[in-house]
Amino acid sequence: MKLILVLAFLGILSSCSTRTCKPNETISSQDNTAKVSQPVAGETTISPTTNMTNQIKKIKVYKADGSVQCEQGTGTKPEEMQKQLGDIKVYSAENKHDGLIRIQVCGAPTGNCNVFEINESDFTKAEKLGFKKWKNN
């Protein structure tokens, strides 16, 4: 039994001696210069200087839907509220709860919000329309 425990311990100890188990390890090499390989026919290569500014950065914004407890059907649907955003491009729209705890009493807000995914560059326009940046998932 002791032999099995010793062998298991040695197995575990030796398994983390590889490079993949030590993510913070720095790899040293004799030649620190970057090597550029020639592309093979049909391969696509990405240059280290590729400009990634063409990607559109998106964020989520929200506004409370106005629904209240004990009154089904209250609140504005995302499709209706999206009209408030005007010419701002909307990638997705959904109704979500804001995750906050609320008192349970008829007439109190439910905490449901309409959440829209837009371009980050349009945030200031949306903010002027009363929308806030969504920080929940």
Side-chain angles (χ1 to χ4, degrees):
M1 184 66 178
K2 286 184 181 180
L3 180 62
I4 293 172
L5 289 174
V6 169
L7 289 175
F9 177 75
L10 289 175
I12 292 170
L13 189 62
S14 67
S15 69
C16 282
S17 65
T18 63
R19 210 176 273 176
T20 57
C21 288
K22 297 181 181 180
N24 294 332
E25 176 183 316
T26 56
I27 302 170
S28 62
S29 69
Q30 294 175 354
D31 184 17
N32 289 334
T33 60
K35 296 185 183 197
V36 179
S37 62
Q38 294 297 323
V40 178
E43 277 188 350
T44 304
T45 59
I46 297 176
S47 162
T49 59
T50 299
N51 189 353
M52 300 302 281
T53 57
N54 295 341
Q55 292 182 346
I56 297 171
K57 196 168 184 183
K58 301 173 190 170
I59 62 166
K60 291 186 177 183
V61 295
Y62 77 98
K63 190 187 275 190
D65 70 358
S67 58
V68 293
Q69 296 177 37
C70 302
E71 295 181 28
Q72 289 183 340
T74 59
T76 307
K77 299 203 178 311
E79 299 81 28
E80 287 295 314
M81 190 176 285
Q82 183 173 338
K83 294 175 185 175
Q84 295 176 15
L85 290 168
D87 64 341
I88 296 174
K89 181 173 173 96
V90 175
Y91 295 96
S92 67
E94 58 187 322
N95 187 274
K96 287 184 153 187
H97 192 271
D98 63 9
L100 300 176
I101 298 172
R102 291 193 162 61
I103 187 170
Q104 293 183 355
V105 64
C106 290
T110 61
N112 291 335
C113 301
N114 291 324
V115 182
F116 303 95
E117 187 175 23
I118 63 170
N119 292 331
E120 186 177 43
S121 59
D122 290 330
F123 176 65
T124 53
K125 286 184 200 175
E127 194 174 31
K128 288 177 184 174
L129 297 169
F131 291 85
K132 297 177 185 173
K133 192 171 190 176
W134 183 255
K135 296 182 182 175
N136 301 348
N137 287 332

